[in-house]
Amino acid sequence: MDRNTTTANDMKESSMKDHKRLLLIDDDPNLILLVKDYLEFRGYEVITAENGRAALDILEHDVPDMIICDVMMPEMDGYTFVEQVRQNERTSWIPVLFLSAKGQSADRVKGLNKGADVYMVKPFEPEELVAQVESSLKQTIRWKEHQTKGGENGSRIQVPFDVQLTPTELKVVQFVARGLANREIAEELNVSQRTVESHVSNMLGKTNLHNRTELARWAIENQMA
């Protein structure tokens, strides 16, 4: 493989990480700090929650590209949380990686049967965690590309015919289509991140779309971006 090919592949890998948002859920603040720092160093945007119930609150207004979740937590454990994620059409597609101190085969099988895509045992090597995250994200991209190319409903995103966006929502969706994260959009518009998240959530409700990726594609297809 020549240098140009290697550079192109590196750029593709870097592009995949850009603006990817990960939801990290664990009741251990030390683990949260270490994993968050490592993932952010590798180019990911990380939002955190201390248990499943707090994470569900986040998912009400923010849909990440992937979820990394502890199994044993107070308030709501990982099993219950993932079952609710899978039952919600807006979040059912999100890849989930379980972190657990339980490493027996029965524990792994239970975690995967509950809806996790990957099961990792603590303690783990940070590089392995990153590799699993990247593998899951690539698989999601392949699935979305397949849905786009092969769907019987046609290649265009379908939304209600009478959707109307406010001027601010139009600005936000234009930035979403350009690949900016909510934090970056907030800086561009000089508003709070929560305000941007509220606009994104409102647009998902108006359009009946499931995530930011579909929202961006709809904007591009309709020449809003």
Side-chain angles (χ1 to χ4, degrees), residues 1-14:
M1 181 179 296
D2 60 31
R3 180 175 298 179
N4 290 337
T5 303
T6 302
T7 301
N9 288 339
D10 290 343
M11 291 176 63
K12 183 177 181 180
E13 293 294 321
S14 176

Side-chain angles (χ1 to χ4, degrees), residues 102-171:
K102 296 183 176 181
Q104 299 295 321
S105 295
D107 299 314
R108 294 173 182 269
V109 169
K110 181 178 180 180
L112 296 172
N113 285 340
K114 287 291 185 178
D117 300 284
V118 181
Y119 190 105
M120 289 186 63
V121 179
K122 303 176 184 177
F124 51 85
E125 291 294 330
E127 286 293 339
E128 182 184 359
L129 175 63
V130 171
Q132 293 284 10
V133 167
E134 292 179 354
S135 176
S136 296
L137 290 173
K138 287 177 183 175
Q139 185 171 349
T140 302
I141 290 171
R142 288 194 297 268
W143 177 80
K144 288 179 178 178
E145 288 177 345
H146 174 73
Q147 293 292 100
T148 300
K149 294 176 181 177
E152 292 182 357
N153 295 328
S155 61
R156 293 181 64 85
I157 289 285
Q158 302 295 317
V159 303
F161 72 92
D162 57 349
V163 170
Q164 292 185 347
L165 302 183
T166 67
T168 303
E169 287 173 345
L170 182 58
K171 291 179 182 178

Side-chain angles (χ1 to χ4, degrees), residues 7 18 27 33 47 60 63 71 75 80 85 89 100 102-104 144-145 174-175 184 189 194 204 211 218 221 224:
T7 301
D18 287 346
D27 61 328
L33 181 62
I47 49 181
E60 285 294 321
V63 180
V71 173
E75 296 290 332
T80 305
V85 168
E89 189 176 359
S100 177
K102 296 183 176 181
Q104 299 295 321
K144 288 179 178 178
E145 288 177 345
Q174 288 171 343
F175 284 122
E184 295 168 312
L189 298 179
R194 180 57 65 89
L204 290 174
N211 51 64
W218 172 64
E221 288 178 354
M224 289 183 280

Side-chain angles (χ1 to χ4, degrees), residues 56-70:
L56 287 179
D57 290 339
I58 291 174
L59 292 178
E60 285 294 321
H61 57 76
D62 197 347
V63 180
D65 297 286
M66 183 171 180
I67 296 170
I68 302 171
C69 182
D70 187 22

